[in-house]
Amino acid sequence: MRAARLKANESQPHPPALEHAQYRAAVQDAVTEGKQSLAALLVLTYSIGARACDVLQLAREEVELSDTALEVQFRRGKGVAFRGPYTVHGAIADPMHRSLVQSQLSSADGRWIWPTPTPQQRAEINADLLRLIRKFGGPQMRQSSIRRGADGGYRMPRKANTSPI
């Protein structure tokens, strides 16, 4: 199964970026369907260019949101495993999007913003997020499309292989 998954990922090494218009349409669609929690996840993920699985592991005290700024401290997740705890700064310009995140922060019970106690539930939320962005961006969209769209679709050019072997 792992070999098949790796092979499937090879077929599309650079997924397309989620365009800003697609992002806005996806957020609006999630709100219309009554999935405010999913919309808030997409807004926060897009606003800071983070992995959705890392955002799902955030505690309330790790997110500071004001009218002009957003500060998120990551203490868990894939990025932390590579470089240790880190902070990301951003902003949410749209007042409706900001209110979605504020609502999610204030409605959270206990320490965690998203109540995802099991990996299976986290996987279900990620699958819902992927279905949402594919609805507006097409079947070629992947989770990393959100991050690519958040940074304007820019990707560092690959270095040419200059090794003598």
Side-chain angles (χ1 to χ4, degrees), residues 58-162:
L58 288 171
R60 276 200 291 190
E61 68 270 5
E62 296 168 349
V63 178
E64 301 224 5
L65 178 64
S66 69
D67 290 341
T68 58
L70 171 66
E71 182 179 307
V72 180
Q73 298 173 355
F74 287 97
R75 297 184 182 141
R76 287 163 298 287
K78 186 175 180 180
V80 173
F82 289 112
R83 63 181 182 184
Y86 62 98
T87 303
V88 177
H89 300 274
I92 302 174
D94 187 299
M96 195 247 327
H97 293 180
R98 192 170 40 254
S99 71
L100 282 169
V101 174
Q102 286 172 334
S103 175
Q104 185 68 32
L105 288 170
S106 64
S107 68
D109 293 335
R111 180 175 180 212
W112 307 106
I113 298 172
W114 279 272
T116 54
T118 66
Q120 181 182 0
Q121 289 172 326
R122 204 174 4 246
E124 289 171 5
I125 292 171
N126 279 324
D128 287 344
L129 184 62
L130 187 58
R131 275 192 294 276
L132 180 64
I133 64 171
R134 284 184 173 168
K135 183 175 181 179
F136 294 95
Q140 70 278 14
M141 289 284 164
R142 293 189 356 207
Q143 288 275 349
S144 59
S145 297
I146 300 170
R147 298 179 74 203
R148 292 194 71 208
D151 68 2
Y154 178 74
R155 189 168 193 66
M156 291 289 289
R158 292 185 181 230
K159 293 182 179 178
N161 187 359
T162 58

Side-chain angles (χ1 to χ4, degrees), residues 1-10:
M1 291 301 288
R2 183 174 185 272
R5 185 171 40 85
L6 290 173
K7 190 68 173 170
N9 285 341
E10 287 177 9

Side-chain angles (χ1 to χ4, degrees), residues 40-41 44-45 48 50-58 74 113-114:
L41 175 63
L44 197 52
T45 302
I48 57 176
R51 292 175 182 87
C53 59
D54 291 354
V55 172
L56 284 172
Q57 297 179 53
L58 288 171
F74 287 97
I113 298 172
W114 279 272

